[in-house]
Amino acid sequence: MTKSLRWVAPTTLTWILAALFLIPVLWFLLSSFKPGSELFTWPLRMFPEDWTLSGYRTAWERYDFQQYFLNTAVVAVVTTVFTVFVSACTGFALAKYHSRWVQGFFLCILATTMLPTEVIMPSTFSVILGLGLYNSLAGIIIPSIITATGIFMFRQFFTTVPDELLEAARIDGAGEFRIFFKLMLPIARPIIAVLAIFSFQWRWNDYIWPLLVLNDPEKYTLQLALRSIVGAENIDWSVLLGASVISLIPMVLLFLVFRRQIMNSDINSGLKD
């Protein structure tokens, strides 16, 4: 009996904490189906009396959300693909090519993690202006491809792969590109999935950098579009809530698609000595 109680108390506490975290999310989701007249009525109600999709329709039609959605998807997908590929290549080189200069380069990459993003933004913005990428989606994508976090993840993973495995592949006649694409990338699938999720989330939710680079409303991303809905004096809360839910749909789908792969994969599954 005592042993059962030891399990019941933590389980009950976990469910209580989960409910506390879920209530605001549920309130936010249900409020998006309320007309504006019900959002601030007293007493407050969790469920709407008159269910409506007017907020979603207005956000999708009046504010040209199709274009914003497409712009954000292009930025997030293209950046994620290049980020994963560049991080994997760099991590492989840093892990398997032993040189004093390579290790020094790795330390320089790690040093960038100590700098706040705001410190790097002015110089990055100057480069974007010089390259003529201002007010373009390429100006958002290119500076976001290289991330020290992604390089570090791949480098640490590839160091767990024994060098003897690579030497055996070289003896069999495999070149460096074949070793990387046929041997190293397949066993790094858990890291690829994790970094892809992180990168996609970073780029989808990015606000500050697109705000600095983009000036044309037709090229706005979703986060800038959400900000444009907030007026100087009056805020159409029903539209803002509907637009916010729309912007979260890809994140929810991403979690549902990759949840099993991430939970069932061992990130440290690289072969070890």
Side-chain angles (χ1 to χ4, degrees), residues 90 93-107:
T90 310
L94 294 175
K96 294 305 175 184
Y97 296 112
H98 305 289
S99 169
R100 181 176 58 184
W101 305 109
V102 171
Q103 299 306 317
F105 180 64
F106 177 58
L107 292 177

Side-chain angles (χ1 to χ4, degrees), residues 4-26:
S4 300
L5 291 176
R6 291 178 181 176
W7 285 100
V8 170
T11 303
T12 304
L13 179 60
T14 302
W15 278 105
I16 293 175
L17 292 176
L20 292 176
F21 280 100
L22 182 61
I23 287 175
V25 177
L26 186 61

Side-chain angles (χ1 to χ4, degrees), residues 101-172:
W101 305 109
V102 171
Q103 299 306 317
F105 180 64
F106 177 58
L107 292 177
C108 293
I109 293 176
L110 286 183
T112 61
T113 61
M114 296 184 290
L115 297 175
T117 306
E118 291 76 11
V119 174
I120 306 176
M121 277 186 177
S123 57
T124 307
F125 185 75
S126 299
V127 173
I128 292 299
L129 285 178
L131 294 176
L133 298 178
Y134 178 72
N135 196 29
S136 67
L137 297 183
I140 304 176
I141 295 173
I142 293 177
S144 304
I145 291 176
I146 299 178
T147 62
T149 302
I151 294 173
F152 180 77
M153 289 171 60
F154 275 101
R155 190 261 182 187
Q156 294 303 106
F157 180 85
F158 286 141
T159 54
T160 65
V161 181
D163 294 337
E164 290 81 0
L165 185 63
L166 277 69
E167 292 298 331
R170 293 187 181 107
I171 293 174
D172 289 338

Side-chain angles (χ1 to χ4, degrees), residues 150-226:
I151 294 173
F152 180 77
M153 289 171 60
F154 275 101
R155 190 261 182 187
Q156 294 303 106
F157 180 85
F158 286 141
T159 54
T160 65
V161 181
D163 294 337
E164 290 81 0
L165 185 63
L166 277 69
E167 292 298 331
R170 293 187 181 107
I171 293 174
D172 289 338
E176 298 302 312
F177 287 100
R178 185 177 179 184
I179 291 174
F180 176 72
F181 286 103
K182 297 294 184 179
L183 178 62
M184 304 300 283
L185 278 186
I187 64 176
R189 282 179 295 181
I191 302 298
I192 293 175
V194 172
L195 181 59
I197 291 174
F198 285 163
S199 178
F200 191 91
Q201 180 183 359
W202 295 334
R203 302 287 76 82
W204 191 272
N205 295 325
D206 197 5
Y207 172 72
I208 297 298
W209 185 242
L211 179 65
L212 294 176
V213 175
L214 298 179
N215 189 33
D216 186 359
E218 294 185 359
K219 299 178 182 178
Y220 277 0
T221 59
L222 276 175
Q223 304 307 320
L224 297 183
L226 291 177

Side-chain angles (χ1 to χ4, degrees), residues 80-90 154 180-181 185 195:
T80 297
V81 171
F82 280 101
T83 296
V84 172
F85 180 73
V86 172
S87 298
C89 293
T90 310
F154 275 101
F180 176 72
F181 286 103
L185 278 186
L195 181 59

